[in-house]
Amino acid sequence: MAKRSDVLEFAVLGLLHESPMHGYELRKRLNATLGAFRAFSYGSLYPCLKGLLATGLVTEQAESLGTTGKRSRIVYQLTAEGKEHFADLLDESGPSAWDDEGFGVHFAFFGRTDAQTRLRILEGRRSRLEERVDGFRAALARSRERVDGYTLALHQHGLESVEREVRWLSELIDDERRRESPAPGSAQTTATTAPNTTEVTDKEHP
């Protein structure tokens, strides 16, 4: 399972890969990137940056504000090692990329992830949630006669939420597969050879 510190590190590296940023801007971008998936603690950002600086993945530089009496801002940017490490993180497609902590940040950077890795992560996440659906249904069947209506409604809500995410993932998986498999008659369709001749002609879509 991915640790929260690892998830935050991945997000910081990904955002700094786009452009150097100062701390305040980075905090806003992190909230926009991770907010839809999980709560983000601002207090954890600067310890994360300190760790990235210590390992040489990030550098910092003072940016002058051009106003006398005001402190300069610190701008953070990736080093060459930081870019390589971020590329390695993008390629990860094992369980840590599917779980509740890791999936959101991996999904946020799907635009830079290769198609096969995206598909493996989506399929892994769907498989994990299908197991969770089975668990919810079994728990509902066991507890239906033993819990009050409010508790039962809460369990049912949890089941429906996971089922919705499974349907969403299935749609994303279907889209990924369609992009990888050209439709018959498209420009990428393999050429065929006519009988009794060496001439090769392309099938054209009507």
Side-chain angles (χ1 to χ4, degrees):
M1 179 178 291
K3 297 185 295 184
R4 290 197 174 193
S5 58
D6 294 337
V7 171
L8 180 57
E9 176 183 299
F10 186 13
V12 169
L13 292 173
L15 291 176
L16 292 179
H17 193 276
E18 296 176 359
S19 66
M21 298 183 198
H22 55 79
Y24 178 70
E25 182 182 7
L26 189 54
R27 282 168 50 183
K28 290 195 299 182
R29 293 292 305 281
L30 281 167
N31 187 60
T33 301
L34 299 182
F37 298 100
R38 58 181 295 273
F40 165 64
S41 170
Y42 289 132
S44 59
L45 172 58
Y46 289 101
C48 174
L49 286 169
K50 184 177 179 181
L52 293 173
L53 286 165
T55 54
L57 300 178
V58 167
T59 60
E60 61 181 3
Q61 182 177 356
E63 178 187 65
S64 176
L65 296 178
T67 305
T68 304
K70 288 193 174 182
R71 293 193 305 172
S72 60
R73 295 185 299 191
I74 300 299
V75 175
Y76 301 92
Q77 60 183 11
L78 289 191
T79 63
E81 291 80 4
K83 293 177 181 178
E84 291 178 4
H85 185 55
F86 177 64
D88 291 339
L89 293 175
L90 283 179
D91 288 340
E92 290 183 1
S93 59
S96 64
W98 319 333
D99 64 27
D100 293 343
E101 287 292 334
F103 176 71
V105 69
H106 275 272
F107 189 82
F109 296 111
F110 261 16
R112 303 183 204 169
T113 307
D114 70 84
Q116 286 299 319
T117 301
R118 289 198 302 265
L119 193 56
R120 286 194 296 269
I121 292 173
L122 291 171
E123 290 176 337
R125 177 65 176 173
R126 182 174 65 178
S127 178
R128 178 69 53 84
L129 292 184
E130 285 173 339
E131 293 174 0
R132 195 172 296 174
V133 166
D134 291 340
F136 268 117
R137 288 174 177 165
L140 277 170
R142 290 193 303 268
S143 62
R144 191 173 296 275
E145 304 300 328
R146 301 198 303 269
V147 300
D148 61 36
Y150 295 106
T151 303
L152 190 62
L154 183 61
H155 291 175
Q156 186 65 41
H157 173 69
L159 172 60
E160 291 171 356
S161 297
V162 179
E163 287 176 331
R164 280 195 298 272
E165 187 171 348
V166 168
R167 290 194 295 271
W168 173 66
L169 290 166
S170 295
E171 291 173 0
L172 291 171
I173 290 168
D174 289 343
D175 287 342
E176 290 289 338
R177 288 175 176 162
R178 277 194 292 269
R179 281 195 288 269
E180 287 200 340
S181 303
S186 70
Q188 298 181 40
T189 301
T190 304
T192 59
T193 303
N196 303 319
T197 180
T198 57
E199 181 182 357
V200 176
T201 59
D202 290 334
K203 288 184 178 180
E204 293 183 357
H205 188 72

